[in-house]
Amino acid sequence: MAVPEAVYVDAAIWKWAGHRWCHLMADDTDELHRFAAELGVKRSSYQGPPRTSAPHYDITGFERDRAVRLGAIECSREEIVAIFRRVRVPNGKGRS
């Protein structure tokens, strides 16, 4: 039986443009895009290879609250860093 892919969010602590921001990440890039679309986040907001080594979206605290209600797993800074390392793409190539 396949294990369902998970989606994760850290705390919205990064201040920019009058909002607090956090990271939305997933075990699988396709699941990340599907979840972001369900959340109403534009695909143009995606950050991944080759721009960054780990596929993710930066989302606002408001979007984070909705993501948690939709099933995203809340993570500490240490946990999101571990996820970042697990899903990162060496040399910015690959799974996007």
Side-chain angles (χ1 to χ4, degrees), residues 3-90:
V3 176
E5 302 294 337
V7 177
Y8 311 92
V9 291
D10 59 353
I13 62 170
W14 309 105
K15 295 178 186 177
W16 184 71
H19 295 283
R20 290 187 179 265
W21 297 80
C22 64
H23 302 99
L24 180 72
M25 303 184 85
D27 292 322
D28 175 77
T29 305
D30 291 337
E31 176 62 12
L32 175 64
H33 292 312
R34 185 204 62 75
F35 193 92
E38 184 178 348
L39 191 58
V41 176
K42 295 178 184 174
R43 179 73 175 255
S44 61
S45 298
Y46 171 70
Q47 296 185 42
R51 289 178 21 195
T52 65
S53 60
H56 72 281
Y57 286 83
D58 290 338
I59 60 173
T60 66
F62 174 75
E63 291 165 327
R64 180 193 185 279
D65 292 343
R66 288 182 34 234
V68 170
R69 286 195 303 272
L70 289 172
I73 300 167
E74 297 177 273
C75 296
S76 68
R77 177 172 168 77
E78 293 78 17
E79 291 167 325
I80 207 75
V81 167
I83 293 162
F84 183 96
R85 289 181 178 146
R86 187 175 73 233
V87 302
R88 74 183 296 257
V89 177

